[in-house]
Amino acid sequence: MLHTMPNKALLRLERSKGRLGFGRSRMLALAVLASMTLIFVGSHHAFGFVSGPNSKDGQTGVPSTALESRRSLLVSTGLVATAPALPAQADETYKDNGLGVQFRYPNGLQKSNNKVFNVFFRDIVEPLESLGLKVTPTKRKSLEEIGDAMAVGKKLVADTIPTGAPNEIITAKSKEDALGRRYDIIEFRYQWYFEEELARQLGRQRFQLHQKALIQIYNKKQYLLLVSIEEPRWEIKSDQMLQAIDTWKLI
């Protein structure tokens, strides 16, 4: 999965930084991007965040023509058939007694194998659009051992996004499930670069990924449910994708 990355980058990814257990490296973000053959670039250029669809000025970070270019590319290569717009998708239930989890997700997502996530669903037209579940063993008894929701959010972002990527934590909240067990919901976004050939096809060099995560610790396991949507599509798809977080349940 990481064969396109330099050896130094691979070594850096293998080291654990925050010991939070979201991954012993920064591989979560790479897993989301792997299907588009993204690679790290050697130089980091400062650039500001674009406004998302929910912002006051209503600007978006990527022109709609670029999104259409991606769809046209997939259609022309036979990866997806053209079809008229469809009504809102139904959803399906994912339940795994072994992992002890249950949640609902849009049935338009395709289940895919992934080396980082235990369970991974992605959109075949929008490769940055995905839903991943990662369950890891932990010695912690609860999130309180990390701190408040913002502390958890900072650890999550540090562990999951590419080194040097401009990022922003939008919200960090703690909640409780029906049994009084704490879980945190962290919403954040970051910017990074496309691989050169793909950037040329799309007519842009970088993307802004909007993500929302649910983190919970229970019975020596840490659960991370991560929803990823490219910024211009957040307002369009977030209601459908976030039902996974809204219906999350330990069983």
Side-chain angles (χ1 to χ4, degrees):
M1 181 176 75
L2 300 176
H3 62 280
T4 58
M5 295 186 63
N7 291 333
K8 290 183 179 179
L10 283 171
L11 290 173
R12 183 171 63 251
L13 286 170
E14 290 170 356
R15 299 191 187 104
S16 173
K17 291 195 66 176
R19 302 263 180 206
L20 186 54
F22 297 125
R24 293 178 175 84
S25 66
R26 300 177 183 275
M27 293 180 66
L28 291 178
L30 296 177
V32 174
L33 308 178
S35 60
M36 302 186 74
T37 61
L38 295 173
I39 60 174
F40 288 113
V41 293
S43 60
H44 304 303
H45 303 284
F47 47 84
F49 281 104
V50 297
S51 303
N54 293 323
S55 64
K56 292 181 181 179
D57 55 16
Q59 296 176 351
T60 57
V62 181
S64 59
T65 53
L67 296 175
E68 291 305 318
S69 296
R70 177 160 66 234
R71 290 184 177 273
S72 298
L73 175 64
L74 290 170
V75 170
S76 65
T77 54
L79 294 178
V80 63
T82 56
L86 298 175
Q89 295 174 330
D91 57 356
E92 297 184 13
T93 297
Y94 177 82
K95 182 177 182 180
D96 189 317
N97 291 324
L99 294 177
V101 302
Q102 178 178 310
F103 57 85
R104 299 187 70 82
Y105 67 94
N107 64 8
L109 298 180
Q110 180 182 71
K111 190 174 182 180
S112 303
N113 293 327
N114 190 282
K115 294 181 180 180
V116 174
F117 293 95
N118 299 80
V119 183
F120 189 72
F121 299 94
R122 65 183 180 88
D123 188 295
I124 61 172
V125 176
E126 301 290 340
L128 290 182
E129 212 160 282
S130 65
L131 169 64
L133 169 65
K134 182 174 179 62
V135 183
T136 53
T138 180
K139 294 181 179 179
R140 292 190 176 99
K141 296 181 179 179
S142 70
L143 292 172
E144 277 76 13
E145 295 183 36
I146 301 172
D148 61 12
M150 183 56 71
V152 171
K154 289 179 179 179
K155 286 282 191 180
L156 171 66
V157 170
D159 283 357
T160 59
I161 72 170
T163 304
N167 65 85
E168 176 186 20
I169 296 178
I170 301 170
T171 59
K173 299 178 181 179
S174 292
K175 297 186 177 183
E176 292 185 350
D177 63 15
L179 298 180
R181 297 170 297 197
R182 172 183 162 181
Y183 63 92
D184 288 357
I185 297 179
I186 312 299
E187 183 175 353
F188 61 102
R189 58 188 176 186
Y190 73 92
Q191 292 184 347
W192 202 239
Y193 299 89
F194 287 111
E195 183 268 338
E196 184 177 351
E197 182 178 352
L198 185 57
R200 185 166 56 251
Q201 293 173 348
L202 298 179
R204 57 191 173 104
Q205 295 182 339
R206 62 189 186 226
F207 62 88
Q208 182 166 299
L209 196 63
H210 197 136
Q211 297 184 296
K212 198 165 188 177
L214 181 149
I215 308 101
Q216 188 167 23
I217 292 176
Y218 178 68
N219 198 23
K220 298 182 179 180
K221 293 181 181 179
Q222 181 171 273
Y223 300 86
L224 170 64
L225 185 64
L226 184 64
V227 172
S228 303
I229 305 173
E230 199 169 1
E231 189 70 71
R233 290 177 54 80
W234 181 259
E235 188 175 72
I236 300 170
K237 294 300 295 289
S238 60
D239 285 347
Q240 293 181 29
M241 297 287 284
L242 292 179
Q243 66 178 304
I245 291 178
D246 295 338
T247 59
W248 168 263
K249 182 167 63 173
L250 295 179
I251 55 176

